[in-house]
């Protein structure tokens, strides 16, 4: 079982930046997929970004493309989500998720087997 702990959330003004971190512990595999999802009050949890497999292929939701960047440090077993040009619509709890497989489509929540508890991001206008 893989344990995930997110950090780095907080309150920021519109136009500002935050960097989220997700530290993984337990038995992880280099072929894995690490995803970021978010859930705003009253809304479904939605895909934000993912980094996949040994090639570190990256995927983004259209709403964050060009503003968010996902990356990872394998030596630290940590995945990052750099968020820039934040908008009030980005306000949500952000979750990281793990799948041991190299997913062809990392946008689907159902393929992930481990989830963190989330970190709150609030963007004020």
């Amino acid at each position: 079982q893989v344990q995930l702990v997110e950090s780095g959330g907080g309150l920021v003004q519109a136009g500002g930046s935050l960097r989220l971190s997700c530290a993984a512990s337990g038995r992880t595999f280099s072929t894995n997929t690490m995803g970021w999802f978010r859930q705003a009050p009253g809304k479904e949890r939605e895909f934000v970004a993912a980094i996949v497999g040994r090639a570190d292929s990256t995927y983004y939701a259209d709403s964050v493309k060009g503003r968010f960047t996902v990356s990872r440090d394998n030596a630290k077993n940590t995945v990052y989500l750099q968020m820039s040009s934040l908008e009030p619509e980005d306000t949500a709890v952000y979750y990281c998720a793990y799948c041991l497989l190299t997913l062809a489509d990392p946008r689907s929540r159902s393929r992930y087997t481990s989830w963190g508890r989330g970190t709150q991001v609030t963007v004020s206008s």
Side-chain angles (χ1 to χ4, degrees), residues 9-66:
L11 173 64
V12 63
Q13 287 190 330
S17 299
L18 281 175
R19 188 177 81 158
L20 305 184
S21 300
C22 173
S25 59
R27 191 178 182 191
T28 61
F29 296 86
S30 61
T31 55
N32 68 48
T33 297
M34 296 295 297
W36 285 98
F37 291 76
R38 66 187 182 187
Q39 188 166 16
K43 294 188 176 182
E44 294 281 322
R45 191 171 298 188
E46 64 176 1
F47 172 78
V48 175
I51 187 164
V52 181
R54 291 191 180 95
D56 282 352
S57 301
T58 56
Y59 299 79
Y60 297 95
D62 287 343
S63 59
V64 307
K65 204 170 292 183

Side-chain angles (χ1 to χ4, degrees), residues 103-119:
L103 294 176
D105 180 7
R107 295 173 176 84
S108 173
R109 292 181 303 180
S110 64
R111 303 302 305 276
Y112 293 87
T113 54
S114 297
W115 292 82
R117 293 188 174 185
T119 185

